[in-house]
Amino acid sequence: HQWTFHSENVQMLLDSMKENDRQEFQFDVRTIEWEDYVEKYVLGFRQYLFKQNPSSLEESRKRMSK
């Protein structure tokens, strides 16, 4: 599947904000470093949803590469 997300309303809100409000309420998705975000998301998902200890990550990576 493929999805397309539109963000015109968010962009309009961001454009209407004063600079100090933009600094305090940072929600501009163009500034997200997606690789870093996804890595942290997956690690958190693994730890808090699957209750896997972070120390088992290296062993899991080895099993996955087999």
Side-chain angles (χ1 to χ4, degrees):
H1 298 284
Q2 185 174 359
W3 295 275
T4 302
F5 296 94
H6 300 279
S7 61
E8 289 89 7
N9 289 341
V10 173
Q11 188 60 48
M12 285 177 16
L13 176 60
L14 187 61
D15 290 341
S16 71
M17 293 172 69
K18 294 179 181 175
E19 184 60 35
N20 60 335
D21 288 337
R22 282 190 211 144
Q23 295 291 326
E24 184 150 352
F25 304 103
Q26 296 179 22
F27 63 90
D28 187 352
V29 296
R30 296 172 298 184
T31 63
I32 295 173
E33 294 184 26
W34 288 102
E35 284 187 34
D36 186 49
Y37 173 85
V38 170
E39 180 181 355
K40 288 178 180 174
Y41 175 85
V42 169
L43 292 175
F45 195 89
R46 186 179 181 277
Q47 182 177 353
Y48 296 108
L49 190 66
F50 291 134
K51 306 295 185 201
Q52 294 179 343
N53 191 314
S55 65
S56 68
L57 182 61
E58 199 58 43
E59 184 62 33
S60 295
R61 285 181 173 155
K62 287 177 187 177
R63 276 185 297 192
M64 229 175 114
S65 67
K66 289 181 181 182

